[in-house]
Amino acid sequence: MPSSRTGRPPVQRTVRRPAASRTVRDNPVRQLYLRAKKAWDRPLTAYYLILGGSLLITVLGLVMVYSASQIKALQMSLPGSYFFRKQLLAAAIGAALLLVASRMPVKLHRALAYPILAGAVFLMALVQVPGIGMAVNGNQNWISLGGSFQIQPSEFGKLALVLWGADLLARKQDKKLLTQWKHMLVPLVPVAFMLLGLIMLGGDMGTAIILTAILFGLLWLAGAPTRLFVGVLSIAGLIGLILIKTSPNRMARLACIGATEPRSAGADCWQAVHGIYALASGGIFGSGLGASVEKWGQLPEAHTDFIFAVTGEELGLAGTLSVLALFAALGYAGIRVAGRTEDPFVRYAAGGVTTWITAQAVINIGAVLGLLPIAGVPLPLFSYGGSALLPTMFAIGLLIAFARDEPAARAALAMRQPRFGRKRGAGGSARTREPRRWNTMRRRASAARTSGER
């Protein structure tokens, strides 16, 4: 080794690593972000978000329905768990529908589009027949099934429009007809307006708004030109404005936006103001499950349209933000399924279902917060009401089926096997059965031995 002028060996300098790589390796926040991003991009992320998010919303909704409906049931001389038991029965039937829909192939979903549309139109027309249809809260959109059971056919009209519209647009895209505006609008817009007319005959403005949002979502996904989109939106807005102007009830609801007093601008804003009172009294973590004060007769429709207000009072800001996060995750997963598929029907149907659930949640929560007029629509999967819960859970099953049908998701599900299990074709009891992983390792060890080993 050559020596320096002082006779000492030269000092060996260590090579410094780049600061960027050391920062990434040593920063725990950065590592957590990279792991979360990697997990977020996995093929089954949308599948787990849809399945887990919808189940969590439904279960939390059952808890809040039980809490918010007890006082209402006792006031009607009914058992305190009356509404909860009916909602639990609807959730059980909805879970079966979700499972069936999630296992059905896409071709069968497309085959059901026309029968569901025909059935929904027939039931919605049947509502207007005297002696069959019945009015609830001023809206004639219900059919009595006997006893305390009722059905609202307009809720199934949402599912019918999504399936039929997606099948129609997919077939026209396959024939390259969507480049012509008349094929994009006809017969989608006339059929949607027919459904809207049947709904508005009963006076249900809220459901009509949701159906209009689904129509616009389908047109947007189909690539409608801006001028065509604006034209349809202008016509729908003009019709909505006329319907609002000609109804004193709807004008009163519009006047209650941002109200802070029970009587504001000459309108009765009792429900809107007490919804704000419930949210304001909840604080950060709420007054506790079952401890709501507003549900004791002060807040109308506490277990249906304004269940989000009771959630804010009992679970606080933490509970309401959790519900919002679950709906946001569900919406993101639906958009991801619609954006990653190559099947036009899957894209339109997934986009339509996502538009439906997201728009309905925004309208309901916006009304509770006083930012939008009270439209009388329930919070999807959360509010009381079997007629709204059943088609929504079937629609969630559609999203699950579409998320499972992605090529990467199919491959991931095919590779997923239990870590421990019984060997194929092997007998024996549970005690003598050996884990699959141990058997695999033993076979590898036996194969690695030489012929002379014992």
Side-chain angles (χ1 to χ4, degrees):
M1 178 182 299
S3 60
S4 61
R5 296 180 180 179
T6 58
R8 298 177 182 178
V11 178
Q12 296 182 356
R13 298 182 179 179
T14 59
V15 179
R16 295 183 178 180
R17 295 181 179 179
S21 62
R22 186 169 64 249
T23 302
V24 172
R25 185 184 63 182
D26 298 339
N27 191 350
V29 177
R30 180 68 176 174
Q31 288 182 357
L32 183 62
Y33 168 76
L34 292 177
R35 290 179 182 178
K37 184 178 179 181
K38 183 178 180 181
W40 199 255
D41 291 335
R42 290 178 179 175
L44 293 176
T45 298
Y47 169 73
Y48 288 127
L49 283 177
I50 296 170
L51 179 61
S54 59
L55 291 181
L56 285 175
I57 294 173
T58 305
V59 171
L60 183 57
L62 286 172
V63 174
M64 293 311 303
V65 165
Y66 180 66
S67 175
S69 64
Q70 293 183 53
I71 307 303
K72 179 69 173 179
L74 294 176
Q75 289 175 346
M76 298 173 63
S77 301
L78 297 170
S81 60
Y82 173 77
F83 293 104
F84 168 75
R85 285 181 292 172
K86 290 184 65 176
Q87 186 73 356
L88 183 62
L89 176 62
I93 300 175
L97 291 176
L98 184 149
L99 182 62
V100 170
S102 64
R103 295 294 179 176
M104 288 168 54
V106 175
K107 291 183 179 180
L108 186 54
H109 285 303
R110 299 187 68 168
L112 289 175
Y114 282 86
I116 292 178
L117 177 65
V121 171
F122 174 74
L123 291 176
M124 291 167 68
L126 204 62
V127 168
Q128 307 303 323
V129 178
I132 298 178
M134 59 181 300
V136 177
N137 294 331
N139 294 335
Q140 176 122 1
N141 282 315
W142 298 81
I143 295 177
S144 177
L145 300 180
S148 61
F149 292 95
Q150 305 163 354
I151 186 173
Q152 188 177 5
S154 57
E155 293 291 340
F156 295 88
K158 303 172 186 176
L159 178 63
L161 181 60
V162 168
L163 285 177
W164 177 80
D167 178 69
L168 175 70
L169 293 175
R171 286 188 289 107
K172 289 196 173 187
Q173 181 173 332
D174 292 339
K175 297 178 181 180
K176 303 185 184 304
L177 297 176
L178 291 182
T179 55
Q180 306 176 29
W181 67 269
K182 59 181 180 180
H183 284 288
M184 184 173 293
L185 296 182
V186 181
L188 177 63
V189 174
V191 171
F193 280 5
M194 178 189 66
L195 295 175
L196 288 171
L198 291 173
I199 292 173
M200 289 308 300
L201 283 176
D204 191 357
M205 186 75 176
T207 305
I209 293 174
I210 305 300
L211 216 66
T212 306
I214 295 173
L215 173 62
F216 289 154
L218 291 174
L219 290 176
W220 181 271
L221 291 170
T226 305
R227 60 182 183 277
L228 186 63
F229 197 83
V230 172
V232 177
L233 182 61
S234 301
I235 295 174
L238 180 61
I239 295 175
L241 183 62
I242 294 174
L243 292 174
I244 292 174
K245 285 286 187 180
T246 55
S247 173
N249 183 33
R250 298 190 186 108
M251 286 296 297
R253 292 186 179 186
L254 193 64
C256 290
I257 297 178
T260 56
E261 297 294 335
R263 290 196 62 83
S264 177
D268 187 3
C269 302
W270 181 273
Q271 186 179 22
V273 172
H274 278 273
I276 298 297
Y277 289 168
L279 291 171
S281 60
I284 302 298
F285 298 105
S287 58
L289 193 62
S292 170
V293 175
E294 291 293 333
K295 68 183 179 184
W296 286 77
Q298 299 294 326
L299 181 64
E301 307 297 336
H303 60 301
T304 54
D305 300 344
F306 271 67
I307 194 171
F308 188 76
V310 180
T311 304
E313 185 179 4
E314 296 188 350
L315 302 182
L317 181 64
T320 55
L321 289 181
S322 299
V323 174
L324 291 176
L326 290 173
F327 276 110
L330 195 60
Y332 166 80
I335 294 174
R336 174 169 169 164
V337 171
R340 293 194 173 190
T341 183
E342 298 295 334
D343 189 340
F345 172 78
V346 173
R347 181 170 62 255
Y348 296 134
V353 171
T354 306
T355 304
W356 163 15
I357 296 176
T358 305
Q360 187 164 328
V362 168
I363 292 173
N364 178 276
I365 296 174
V368 174
L369 295 176
L371 303 176
L372 295 174
I374 300 174
V377 296
L379 189 58
L381 302 172
F382 201 83
S383 296
Y384 170 79
S387 295
L389 184 63
L390 296 182
T392 306
M393 294 195 75
F394 187 89
I396 294 295
L398 284 177
L399 289 180
I400 293 175
F402 298 156
R404 290 169 57 94
D405 198 52
E406 292 182 11
R410 284 202 308 265
L413 288 172
M415 294 175 59
R416 193 175 60 180
Q417 294 180 355
R419 296 178 63 182
F420 299 98
R422 183 177 180 180
K423 287 180 64 178
R424 295 181 180 177
S429 62
R431 294 183 178 180
T432 59
R433 198 178 300 156
E434 295 183 354
R436 181 178 295 176
R437 173 179 283 190
W438 172 250
N439 293 336
T440 305
M441 293 173 63
R442 187 175 60 184
R443 287 196 299 269
R444 289 179 180 176
S446 300
R449 293 175 182 171
T450 60
S451 58
E453 285 184 331
R454 297 293 180 186

